[in-house]
Amino acid sequence: MSADRRKGLFIVFEGAEGTGKTTQTQLLSESLRRRGLDVDVTREPGGTPLGEQVRRLLLNQQEMQTIDPRVQVLMVSAARAQHVSERIRPKLDQGGVVICDRFTGSTQAYQGAGFRISRRDIERIGEFSTDGLHPDLTVLLDLDVQDGLKRSLSDRDTDWEKAGGINWHGIDFHERVRESFLSQARDNMDQWLVADATAPVTTIASDILDRVSMLIEGRELSQANGLVQRSFPMGGT
Ligand code: TMP
């Protein structure tokens, strides 16, 4: 859906594990809330009771190895359809800001490039599950695969085998995932921002805020106090 038909603002963070998505999600939401905006931070898989159940299934290493990749697509898409209708769309319709950790880009990267499900199939089911909803901006935190895996393992304070979920795949899998994210960004430069995840956290946050500021300008967004007003560019974090 185009931005001018919607009052709210939908921002998605994408990238491999260990790229700092969660930190940047937090920093952006804090900046926007300081502006008084009504911000909802959510994630996929997850974001609703159904979505969180799907997340537990997908991220459980034992289960994951037995779930056919096409079923993975259907599971994340079912969770996404519920997420969009129950949480994301209503918040946007109220003029709120939704910041989501992962969305359709992850399905294209992991199940598409990683597990080699056709791009076209994922696009079709993506349109169906989101009911045509596209993010206003997708921020890709890009990082060398080896560095990302090291960061992700140290974050979880565990080793490769215990990392669970999708991490049991080899480096090639993760290289395909990274390349897919980069290629999605290249194909949609107007809606994607690629950030170098090795840059200082504050530099990345300020680049993201600059881009979000441009999107916010002139848009009707609701304040946390329930008022709706036209927003103007923001300064600083
Ligand atoms: P994260 O919360 O650390 O980002 O982990 C979520 C995992 O789920 C991550 O390994 C990517 C995976 N995932 C998919 O495989 N397909 C999807 O569509 C989504 C949203 C996530």
Side-chain angles (χ1 to χ4, degrees):
M1 181 180 282
S2 68
D4 52 3
R5 285 175 54 206
R6 189 170 67 212
K7 285 186 294 184
L9 186 68
F10 184 26
I11 300 165
V12 168
F13 280 81
E14 295 282 12
E17 294 89 344
T19 51
K21 277 186 294 104
T22 309
T23 305
Q24 291 300 335
T25 303
Q26 293 290 336
L27 290 173
L28 180 62
S29 65
E30 283 164 17
S31 296
L32 298 180
R33 282 186 182 129
R34 271 201 293 278
R35 287 270 304 176
L37 295 175
D38 180 14
V39 181
D40 185 23
V41 177
T42 185
R43 66 175 180 181
E44 289 205 351
T48 66
L50 175 76
E52 291 298 329
Q53 289 194 44
V54 168
R55 182 183 184 87
R56 275 193 289 280
L57 275 174
L58 276 174
L59 301 193
N60 176 295
Q61 189 183 6
Q62 296 295 324
E63 294 284 347
M64 189 70 195
Q65 294 188 49
T66 62
I67 299 175
D68 183 286
R70 284 172 307 148
V71 180
Q72 294 175 27
V73 174
L74 295 171
M75 288 171 73
V76 291
S77 301
R80 183 165 297 137
Q82 187 65 27
H83 196 197
V84 168
S85 68
E86 181 180 323
R87 184 163 173 173
I88 300 176
R89 181 81 79 184
K91 179 58 81 176
L92 295 175
D93 286 347
Q94 289 163 14
V97 178
V98 177
I99 302 177
C100 189
D101 190 338
R102 298 194 185 281
F103 199 59
T104 47
S106 279
T107 316
Q108 201 59 262
Y110 288 89
Q111 280 67 44
F115 289 103
R116 302 189 192 281
I117 303 276
S118 102
R119 183 180 177 142
R120 180 77 197 108
D121 284 346
I122 291 181
E123 276 170 4
R124 276 165 43 200
I125 197 165
E127 284 299 304
F128 179 72
S129 59
T130 62
D131 197 19
L133 177 72
H134 296 276
D136 294 293
L137 177 68
T138 299
V139 178
L140 170 60
L141 293 164
D142 179 55
L143 183 65
D144 173 80
V145 168
Q146 301 271 8
D147 291 350
L149 289 173
K150 268 185 232 144
R151 281 201 203 183
S152 144
L153 292 180
S154 57
D155 278 358
R156 293 168 199 224
D157 194 30
T158 182
D159 59 25
W160 175 271
E161 281 73 28
K162 288 184 194 154
I166 282 171
N167 265 349
W168 58 275
H169 291 288
I171 294 293
D172 286 0
F173 178 93
H174 292 283
E175 294 284 7
R176 290 201 298 281
V177 167
R178 181 187 186 200
E179 187 40 49
S180 166
F181 277 133
L182 286 170
S183 124
Q184 292 179 63
R186 277 194 300 270
D187 290 348
N188 298 285
M189 289 308 283
D190 289 349
Q191 281 90 39
W192 284 62
L193 169 67
V194 181
D196 174 358
T198 62
V201 169
T202 49
T203 307
I204 301 172
S206 122
D207 287 350
I208 295 169
L209 193 59
D210 284 350
R211 182 74 175 261
V212 170
S213 293
M214 287 193 276
L215 281 175
I216 279 178
E217 195 175 347
R219 194 178 286 234
E220 286 190 356
L221 294 175
S222 57
Q223 302 281 302
N225 60 15
L227 295 174
V228 176
Q229 66 177 48
R230 196 166 283 274
S231 292
F232 296 97
M234 302 177 296
T237 54

